[in-house]
Amino acid sequence: MTRRALAQPLAAGLALAIAVAAPPRVRAQAPPPAQVPPPSRAAQQPVFQSGVELIAVDVAVVDRNGFPVAGLGPEQFEVTLDGKPRRVVSAEFIEFAPRDAAPGAPIPARVVTPVYSSNEQLGPSAPQGRLIYLAVDQGSFKPIGARGAMEAARRFIDRLQPEDRIGLVAFPSPLQAVEASRDHEAVRAATAKIIGSAQPFRIGGIDKNVSLSEAIDIHAGDALTTQKVFARECGSMGSSSNRTACENDVRNTAISIGRNAEYQATRSLAGIEAVVRGLAKIRERKTLVLVSGGLPVADRSGIDLQLTSAAAGLGREAAAANLNFFVLHIDAGFIDAFSAEERTISDTLFRDLGMMSSGLETIAGASGGSLARVVAGADFAFDKILRETTAAYLVGVEPLEGDRDGKTHRINVKVKVSGAEVRSRREVMLPVTVARAATPGDALGRAFRGSRLETALPIRLATFNMAPDASGRQRVMVSADIGSGATGPADIWTALGTSDASGVQEPPVGRKLRLRPREGSPSGALSFAVQTTLEPGRHTLRFAAVDAAGRAGSVDHTFSVGLAKGDGVAMGDLLLLEPVTGSDERLDVVTDGRLRGGAVDAYIEVVPADPEVFGVTVRFDVADGPAGEPRVTATGLMTRTPGSGHWSATARMALDDLSPGDYVVIATVFHGDREAGRMTRALHIQ
């Protein structure tokens, strides 16, 4: 695109919360590659970029106090597949939050905030932040239990690091859904709206005192338990007809309790499944904290609550989704047993409590996760999560050829560290064959649909909102810096696809391009820019690229489409561009804000309430910070394409007098004599 062209004109609710759709199918367009393989709907097996396709296993290794153990090499891991040892090739320690800071300790403020997504690995001094989702089964809580759990959850949220992203899903109805972001206050506010809606398994008006365990046994035809309950509840009945009626009431009570318990458990499983499957669409490592008042599963064969297999399958699905799974069982059963509502203390109390916890234990165990039983005060459990999620290992395991049979295999990970606790997935499935990329198009398809980011080819990507087109769809500029060290034009294969928060996909595009290095790129990156149109709202963009040597890179970028609102105007994002000289009309966007050069061009589009009335001006400033004194100032040149509903402002800003370092470019929009709004962009002069 030239500068001239630039200057011209429950499942749905959970999807909104997670806001990441499945990898879109890539439809290649001329020029080639002609076939970019579509992604499988099944979970993708992670692989490393190396001479051998390795199994990637996320492993948490913590000490006795729950802090991650650092400094382990591959030789200190022991991995078996179906009980047989496999060679550990690599062990990468990844930090998500500072390990040496107390939970909630502030991170020093930075002038330059990244406004792009990158597949580059961050150094140990720059943790990338955690991605955490709170899933609250509010249908499993009584109101008072939910209130206490959410108070602890709010204290947990207050102690997150600024770089952490957190989201929330509460189910069933009334659904609460907050997309994960660094806006912690949004999730904190949502917790205050969560209510407990659990109903007693024994419905009101029934005077027969039958426990959950007894109900399961009676409905299963257990004669010993049945006669025991008959004797207790009906022993005082005088006539045989009264006793028969009483025994029928006992049986009906047992059936009702079993059905009510199964309804609650089935509803809980459905909600958890929706959350797990939604999070499976996010490729990066994520932490799921499930807060539940219990998920009853029978401890014997029979009719009711035969849900062990379903719970175990859901746990395995969570493991395949690359989830760091923590289950908090807020267990109020023991306290409830002594409440005024209960006439007597059941002699099956501990068995009842075990069944209420059984489903959660099964899910946590099958997922390789952790279960904490909370009787009074959940802070200790949330503290454990804060400690354990600061870091983890990504372990590369070399499979044998016979392992690639398309079947599920048991995988077990241990470490040679005394007293360390290890958590990882317990099952893995390898496809029958893993075809190697024979062409750049094959490598592009694999990178685009892969379950992990490819980093062999560095990519930094950003999106910029612009004014709507004539049809009312929002124009969006997508730019990327690809690779490094380029000295001239190079062939690059790219694939780009977007999907909105509900999973609706825009037609993706794959093509081969001839790209040139960005003039002011400190790393010698190739410059990519394309314009697309999208509906307003939250979107996720997947971008992959492959160079002629077969090196692949991929990025997932979540962003909001829409103009910023000002006083009587709407504003697009502020773009920084490489200065164009002579007749060259190429468009080089300063994607990551890093620039090596003596000038930069600033560009913004403004939509006034009445585009026909000219009264909009823009001033561009370069300052040390958003509220700093201007170091460089320029007045924007205002232009408008006939028939369009927006004005464009551009200005060249000389940077020769500025020292290398971090700055902010500010576009201040004036409507007449009053300030109508402003937009900012980070700039790093190198």
Side-chain angles (χ1 to χ4, degrees):
M1 171 176 294
T2 66
R3 184 182 305 276
R4 181 178 301 160
L6 175 64
Q8 296 173 349
L10 180 72
L14 293 175
L16 285 172
I18 294 167
V20 177
R25 300 177 182 273
V26 180
R27 183 179 60 200
Q29 298 181 357
Q35 59 268 20
V36 180
S40 169
R41 294 187 65 86
Q44 297 291 324
Q45 175 58 39
V47 295
F48 285 88
Q49 289 290 324
S50 68
V52 179
E53 298 287 357
L54 304 178
I55 307 170
V57 185
D58 290 283
V59 182
V61 183
V62 297
D63 62 20
R64 292 183 177 90
N65 298 316
F67 290 99
V69 178
L72 301 183
E75 69 282 354
Q76 291 169 282
F77 286 85
E78 295 179 344
V79 178
T80 61
L81 211 63
D82 294 329
K84 299 177 182 179
R86 295 292 184 265
R87 187 169 76 94
V88 178
V89 176
S90 61
E92 179 185 359
F93 187 68
I94 303 174
E95 290 191 82
F96 301 98
R99 288 175 294 133
D100 54 353
I107 295 176
R110 295 176 298 178
V111 172
V112 177
T113 301
V115 286
Y116 57 87
S117 293
S118 174
N119 64 357
E120 295 178 320
Q121 298 293 336
L122 299 176
S125 61
Q128 58 187 278
R130 291 164 287 199
L131 175 58
I132 301 173
Y133 270 92
L134 286 177
V136 183
D137 183 4
Q138 58 188 356
S140 66
F141 289 105
K142 292 183 179 179
I144 191 170
R147 190 180 309 121
M150 291 304 98
E151 288 174 356
R154 285 190 285 276
R155 290 190 289 272
F156 167 75
I157 294 167
D158 292 341
R159 297 171 67 189
L160 294 174
Q161 296 291 336
E163 297 299 316
D164 295 331
R165 291 163 290 157
I166 185 167
L168 178 142
V169 179
F171 58 89
S173 180
L175 183 70
Q176 296 285 338
V178 181
E179 183 184 343
S181 72
R182 293 184 176 91
D183 182 8
H184 301 170
E185 184 57 35
V187 176
R188 194 183 194 283
T191 61
K193 302 176 183 178
I194 291 176
I195 58 174
S197 58
Q199 298 296 320
F201 297 150
R202 188 173 71 233
I203 61 176
I206 296 180
D207 63 353
K208 303 310 174 188
N209 189 21
V210 181
S211 71
L212 176 62
S213 301
E214 291 169 341
I216 298 301
D217 290 346
I218 292 171
H219 201 195
D222 188 311
L224 184 61
T225 300
T226 302
Q227 293 305 316
K228 175 184 173 182
V229 177
F230 282 172
R232 184 185 71 221
E233 298 296 315
C234 305
S236 61
M237 297 296 172
S239 65
S240 60
S241 60
N242 288 340
R243 183 178 177 91
T244 299
C246 176
E247 291 176 355
N248 287 335
D249 285 345
V250 168
R251 288 194 176 94
N252 290 334
T253 300
I255 293 173
S256 176
I257 290 173
R259 287 176 176 173
N260 291 339
E262 181 153 339
Y263 172 75
Q264 177 177 305
T266 303
R267 187 174 60 172
S268 294
L269 285 171
I272 299 169
E273 180 184 67
V275 174
V276 168
R277 291 184 175 178
L279 291 176
K281 300 169 186 176
I282 304 176
R283 294 196 292 177
E284 65 182 287
R285 180 68 163 170
K286 54 267 176 187
T287 293
L288 174 61
V289 182
L290 172 64
V291 185
S292 171
L295 200 164
V297 171
D299 57 0
R300 59 162 298 162
S301 61
I303 299 174
D304 301 309
L305 295 175
Q306 304 300 304
L307 301 172
T308 300
S309 177
L314 183 53
R316 289 192 294 269
E317 195 168 343
N322 194 29
L323 284 177
N324 190 15
F325 204 173
F326 293 88
V327 180
L328 271 58
H329 179 195
I330 312 298
D331 188 357
F334 191 81
I335 297 175
D336 289 345
F338 292 88
S339 68
E341 300 173 3
E342 298 296 328
R343 300 196 306 266
T344 60
I345 305 302
S346 171
D347 56 6
T348 65
L349 172 61
F350 291 102
R351 185 181 168 204
D352 292 348
L353 297 178
M355 280 202 294
M356 288 300 296
S357 184
S358 179
L360 299 176
E361 290 175 349
T362 301
I363 294 173
S367 68
S370 170
L371 173 71
R373 182 169 173 262
V374 179
V375 177
D379 291 280
F380 80 93
F382 281 115
D383 289 346
K384 180 174 182 283
I385 296 170
L386 283 172
R387 291 193 300 269
E388 292 194 14
T389 56
T390 56
Y393 285 91
L394 183 61
V395 176
V397 181
E398 183 177 359
L400 299 181
E401 189 59 35
D403 298 332
R404 303 188 184 282
D405 55 6
K407 299 178 181 179
T408 299
H409 299 270
R410 290 179 292 105
I411 188 168
N412 185 50
V413 181
K414 297 181 179 179
V415 294
K416 302 174 184 177
V417 178
S418 177
E421 179 183 348
V422 179
R423 289 204 318 277
S424 67
R425 62 189 307 179
R426 299 186 180 183
E427 293 182 347
V428 67
M429 189 277 289
L430 296 178
V432 176
T433 59
V434 179
R436 298 196 179 277
T439 68
D442 294 335
L444 179 66
R446 181 171 297 177
F448 189 81
R449 72 175 189 269
S451 59
R452 292 183 182 276
L453 294 182
E454 298 286 353
T455 59
L457 184 66
I459 296 174
R460 293 189 174 196
L461 180 140
T463 53
F464 303 87
N465 288 306
M466 302 170 70
D469 64 9
S471 68
R473 283 172 62 91
Q474 192 77 47
R475 292 161 51 239
V476 177
M477 173 67 67
V478 180
S479 74
D481 284 353
I482 303 174
S484 62
T487 58
D491 289 336
I492 295 289
W493 287 257
T494 65
L496 181 153
T498 62
S499 53
D500 65 18
S502 60
V504 177
Q505 301 174 9
E506 291 287 331
V509 176
R511 55 163 64 99
K512 177 184 176 182
L513 301 169
R514 185 75 169 172
L515 301 180
R516 293 187 291 179
R518 179 162 71 84
E519 290 285 342
S521 170
S523 61
L526 299 169
S527 179
F528 169 91
V530 67
Q531 183 179 257
T532 186
T533 60
L534 296 168
E535 295 295 334
R538 199 71 169 164
H539 293 260
T540 295
L541 182 149
R542 175 168 293 186
F543 180 82
V546 174
D547 65 10
R551 296 185 305 159
S554 57
V555 170
D556 282 338
H557 181 76
T558 301
F559 60 103
S560 293
V561 175
L563 300 181
K565 301 299 182 183
D567 182 7
V569 298
M571 299 166 290
D573 289 323
L574 173 59
L575 276 76
L576 301 181
L577 309 164
E578 296 277 358
V580 173
T581 58
S583 60
D584 190 355
E585 291 191 344
R586 58 179 294 191
L587 180 70
D588 282 348
V589 181
V590 184
T591 297
D592 60 4
R594 299 187 302 169
L595 182 70
R596 184 186 60 201
V600 68
D601 285 356
Y603 177 92
I604 191 171
E605 293 182 350
V606 181
V607 182
D610 184 0
E612 301 301 328
V613 178
F614 180 80
V616 176
T617 58
V618 178
R619 188 188 72 220
F620 295 99
D621 299 306
V622 179
D624 294 326
E629 290 294 323
R631 304 280 296 274
V632 177
T633 296
T635 300
L637 173 64
M638 306 301 299
T639 59
R640 181 190 174 201
T641 302
S644 70
H646 69 272
W647 291 86
S648 302
T650 185
R652 180 156 301 174
M653 313 193 74
L655 308 176
D656 295 308
D657 294 336
L658 299 180
S659 302
D662 294 327
Y663 299 91
V664 173
V665 181
I666 306 168
T668 304
V669 179
F670 295 91
H671 196 262
D673 295 332
R674 72 178 188 278
E675 181 177 324
R678 60 171 53 193
M679 301 295 290
T680 62
R681 201 78 184 169
L683 174 66
H684 179 82
I685 301 176
Q686 197 157 319

